[in-house]
């Protein structure tokens, strides 16, 4: 009796485990290497480096990967004040993946295209997070925001007031 019962229970558990593994795989991909590659691809084609990597556009996109997303000292000045593209390597290193999903959907000041990030699905945002965490922390924080009435200390790009 016992000899029959145990294999039956074991088979039942094995079946449940298999179903659980399959559904977990569908909900959140368990392929870290694939996520990292996808994150790298997304960062490259969605333009994050254009502002968040120092000297990236000037280098025609040839800045070494180890410097990617380390933040930029170039200011962006307009009616909103002067903003600096943050060091995302440090920002993401200091938060959990769940915190990142919320943080990525905040409305930032111009010229950060937050509206593009809001259009990304969770899987893409997770892939970006896993890629940036894989790169690891590097660099120092970008300069702090300067309010409109103050002249920034470093070079900046001047934007006109938006059309009415
Ligand atoms: C046109 C320049 C530009 C591009 C392109 C850009 N950003 Fe930004 N980003 C900025 C600036 C400037 C800030 C600072 C905004 C502020 O101070 O409110 C910023 C801030 C952020 C923040 C807030 C970080 C913090 O300090 O907590 C995140 C997250 C972010 N960007 C992610 C991205 C990602 C991911 C991409 C690529 C999809 C991207 N950005 C593309 C300019 C840019």
């Amino acid at each position: 009796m016992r000899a029959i019962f145990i294999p039956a229970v074991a088979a039942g558990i094995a079946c449940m485990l298999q179903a659980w593994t399959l559904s977990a795989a569908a909900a959140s991909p368990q392929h870290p290497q694939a996520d990292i590659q996808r994150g790298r691809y997304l960062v490259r084609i969605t333009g994050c480096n254009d502002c968040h990597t120092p000297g990236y556009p000037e280098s025609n996109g040839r800045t070494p990967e180890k410097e990617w997303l380390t933040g930029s000292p170039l200011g962006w000045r307009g009616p909103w004040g002067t903003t600096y593209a943050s060091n995302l390597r440090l920002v993401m290193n200091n938060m959990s993946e769940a915190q990142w999903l919320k943080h990525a959907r905040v409305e930032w000041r111009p010229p950060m295209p937050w509206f593009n990030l809001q259009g990304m699905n969770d899987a893409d945002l997770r892939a970006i997070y896993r890629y940036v965490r894989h790169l690891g922390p590097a660099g120092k924080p970008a300069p702090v925001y300067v309010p409109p009435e103050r002249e920034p200390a470093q070079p900046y790009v001047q934007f006109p007031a938006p059309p009415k």
Side-chain angles (χ1 to χ4, degrees):
M1 184 64 187
R2 218 169 149 197
I4 301 166
F5 176 67
I6 290 170
V9 169
I13 291 173
C15 202
M16 276 158 59
L17 274 177
Q18 196 188 15
W20 177 79
T21 321
L22 285 175
S23 68
S28 147
Q30 302 292 306
H31 306 294
Q33 232 20 65
D35 276 342
I36 289 167
Q37 282 313 312
R38 179 158 180 80
R40 182 181 190 279
Y41 168 79
L42 287 167
V43 161
R44 214 166 66 78
I45 63 158
T46 61
C48 315
N49 281 318
D50 299 358
C51 298
H52 287 272
T53 299
Y56 190 83
E58 301 93 304
S59 80
N60 290 315
R62 293 197 190 96
T63 307
E65 194 173 353
K66 62 178 176 13
E67 289 164 32
W68 284 14
L69 308 180
T70 53
S72 174
L74 179 64
W76 301 96
R77 192 176 194 191
W80 58 86
T82 306
T83 49
Y84 297 88
S86 327
N87 181 331
L88 297 178
R89 302 271 290 271
L90 298 180
V91 167
M92 284 187 223
N93 195 59
N94 286 331
M95 59 180 65
S96 67
E97 194 164 300
Q99 287 171 322
W100 163 247
L101 291 182
K102 290 208 179 84
H103 200 75
R105 298 206 163 104
V106 168
E107 294 187 15
W108 304 100
R109 286 170 287 229
M112 168 60 205
W114 55 266
F115 32 84
N116 296 352
L117 267 194
Q118 285 198 350
M120 275 192 197
N121 60 35
D122 282 8
D124 285 348
L125 285 174
R126 285 182 199 278
I128 289 180
Y129 176 86
R130 290 173 194 184
Y131 167 65
V132 176
R133 290 288 297 233
H134 163 80
L135 287 177
K140 48 184 179 31
V144 291
Y145 164 78
V146 181
E149 64 284 1
R150 277 193 21 227
E151 179 69 22
Q154 290 109 315
Y156 57 84
V157 174
Q158 177 73 56
F159 278 65
K164 292 256 151 45

